[in-house]
Every structure is written in C-alpha cells, then in structure tokens.
Amino acid sequence: MNGICAGRVAVVTGAGRGLGRTHALALAAEGAAVVVNDLGTGPGGEGGSADPAHRVAAEIRDRGGRAVAHTGDIATAEGAASLITTALDAFGRLDALVNNAGFVRDRMLVNLDQEDWDAVIRVHLRGHFLPLRQAAAYWRAEAKAGRTPDARVVNTTSGAGLSGSVGQANYAAAKAGIVGLTLVAAAELARYGVQVNAIAPAARTRMTEQVFAGSMAAPPDGTFDAMAPENVSPLVVWLCAAGSAGVTGQVLEADGGRIAVMEGWHPGPISDKGDRWTPAEAGAEVRRLLAGARAARPVYGAGGAP
C-alpha cells in the first residue's frame, strides 16, 4: 500500500477500541504494517478478551493492509517483550511504537484506595515504560550494528496530566509521569535514531464518556464531529512517518481540528535577593511574583475549568 508510512512497521497498544483502533486503521491506510495490541479488558481493567485485537487486525487485512494481533499484557516484562518480538517475527522490523493502552478508575482522592491507584499507574505509566524499553533496546542494537533506525515513539498523555482533573488523581499522576518519560526518552534515544513525542488527545471513547457525559455526544449527521477519535489519528500517523524528522521531545494537544504545541514549564517571574530569605520575606515575595505570573490552566472539573 502507498502512503506516508509505506514500508514501515508500527505497534499500537490498546488498539482494540477507541483511539487505539483509529490509530491502527489510519496507520494501515497510510501503508504501515501494524501490530494490534489489546488485552480486551473492560473500562476499568476488568476481565479480558482476545476478540478486540483480532477484530481490528482482521479489519485492516480486509482493507488490503497487513496486520497481526497481540493480546499480551504490555504492563508485564514478558508481555512487552513478546509485543516487540511479534513485530519482528511478523514483519522483520519495527519503526514506530504508539503507546496508547489504558483504563480509568475514577475516585475522589479521599476515596481512592491503593488498588485503584496501583492499577491505573500500572497500565498507563508502566504500560508505556516497558514497551518503550523493549523497543529502545532493539533500536539501540540496530544502531550499534550500523543500521541506524529512523524510529518513532508516540506516547499518550492527557489534559488531566497537564492540568489535573478532579476525581482522577491516579490517572492525572500517571499521565503527568508519561510527559516526564517522554522528555527523558527523547533526550536519551536521539543518538540511536529515535524520536519520542507525546500527544494529549480529547475524543469520545469508553474512558471519557463517564467524565464528560453528554458534552461529547455525537452531533447530527452531516455535522463535523469534533469529538470523533478519528480526528486525532492523522497527527499520530504523521508523527510515526519519516516525514516528521526533527520533531522530538514535544507534547501536542489534539482534538477536533485543533493541534496545539504545549510549551511546558518555563521560569516565570523571578526574584533573587542575593541572600537568604526569612519566611515572612519569602512569603511576601512569592505573593508579589504570583501577581505578575500567567495564571495556570484550571484543573478539569474545578470551578472555571473547561
């Protein structure tokens, strides 16, 4: 198949439904061979089924593309290793990794128990780290063998990770961690020909329907559906393509027809006394500095939040 990813091999985690599914289909439509990973769990990580991954892989093949299913748990070392091995065994190479798998277990902080904290951190943050580590080991070996890759990683953060979200302390913490992981990986893996970026998508999926309720409902037929997950996938495809050369260490928001480059933490107003502050002086100076600082985006779900 022709397209901007022709000849490339991509792995997409959590690709049985929602955003992952549309990413996998869009990559295949642009010529990539795709490994479709999905454990097939429920919205809160319960249960499991091989059907979603196999359905999407079959859908790609029915459209003339190349795809195989992987139904292992990528938040385990064994599952992450077999994910990368599946790509190499089926297609002989790996060019792009899209980390997308996840679920939510929303609770207000005082009601959030350790199990729900650990489960969400595990699937999002460890579920990004382990496949990334396995893919990076392969690409490093290729580079050391004189076959420097032209590789791409697309991680999935969230507005919750960038601004916070009431009732989602576990999810927001995991997604914020993914931003840090992205920045470090981009710096460390550049020498091996690997670019690493993150997207913060907003779309209608199983994970968001509970949080946003009716605000993400599909519009009438013929109207642009700003919350359709298909709107996000073109950016993912481009980030996976060779044409995105030179773009790394970035966090991009994407929803509807909007793409925003997130600029991260930069020093704002600064004061240097040249000596140690007293507590009272420090407090007064912080208040003065805050008066001249740009206000942070409000936490989702808090007063004034979008």
Side-chain angles (χ1 to χ4, degrees), residues 48-49 61 67 121 147 160 233 237 256:
S49 170
R61 292 192 296 268
I121 296 293
R147 299 183 295 270
S233 297
V237 173

Side-chain angles (χ1 to χ4, degrees), residues 94-290:
L94 175 65
D95 302 286
L97 168 65
V98 180
N99 282 317
N100 170 79
F103 54 75
V104 292
R105 293 187 183 180
D106 295 346
R107 303 282 190 279
M108 298 300 283
L109 186 60
V110 295
N111 296 319
L112 181 62
D113 62 30
Q114 180 176 312
E115 180 184 354
D116 291 333
W117 173 273
D118 288 346
V120 170
I121 296 293
R122 177 185 184 276
V123 69
H124 288 280
L125 192 49
R126 194 201 299 180
H128 272 60
F129 161 64
L130 289 175
L132 175 54
R133 184 180 67 172
Q134 290 292 331
Y138 164 71
W139 288 321
R140 181 181 64 176
E142 287 291 286
K144 289 186 173 182
R147 299 183 295 270
T148 301
D150 187 18
R152 307 287 187 268
V153 177
V154 181
N155 291 330
T156 306
T157 182
S158 167
L162 302 176
S163 301
S165 181
V166 170
Q168 293 190 304
N170 48 2
Y171 178 72
K175 290 304 191 183
I178 287 167
V179 172
L181 175 63
T182 298
L183 300 178
V184 172
E188 291 186 358
L189 301 181
R191 72 191 72 179
Y192 305 125
V194 184
Q195 296 183 182
V196 187
N197 296 287
I199 61 165
R204 185 175 53 254
T205 69
R206 293 190 306 167
M207 281 177 49
T208 58
E209 63 185 2
Q210 296 299 321
V211 177
F212 296 103
S215 64
M216 284 194 171
D221 289 346
T223 304
F224 175 59
D225 186 353
M227 290 294 103
E230 289 84 357
N231 298 331
V232 177
S233 297
L235 174 61
V236 173
V237 173
W238 183 79
L239 288 171
C240 288
S244 63
V247 177
T248 192
Q250 300 297 321
V251 178
L252 305 169
E253 278 194 334
D255 57 86
R258 188 182 74 99
I259 296 172
V261 176
M262 306 307 290
E263 295 186 330
W265 290 100
H266 296 279
I270 299 172
S271 181
D272 184 352
K273 179 181 177 181
D275 200 352
R276 183 179 300 129
W277 300 91
T278 68
E281 288 174 336
E285 190 62 12
V286 167
R287 290 189 181 281
R288 190 186 72 79
L289 293 173
L290 286 173

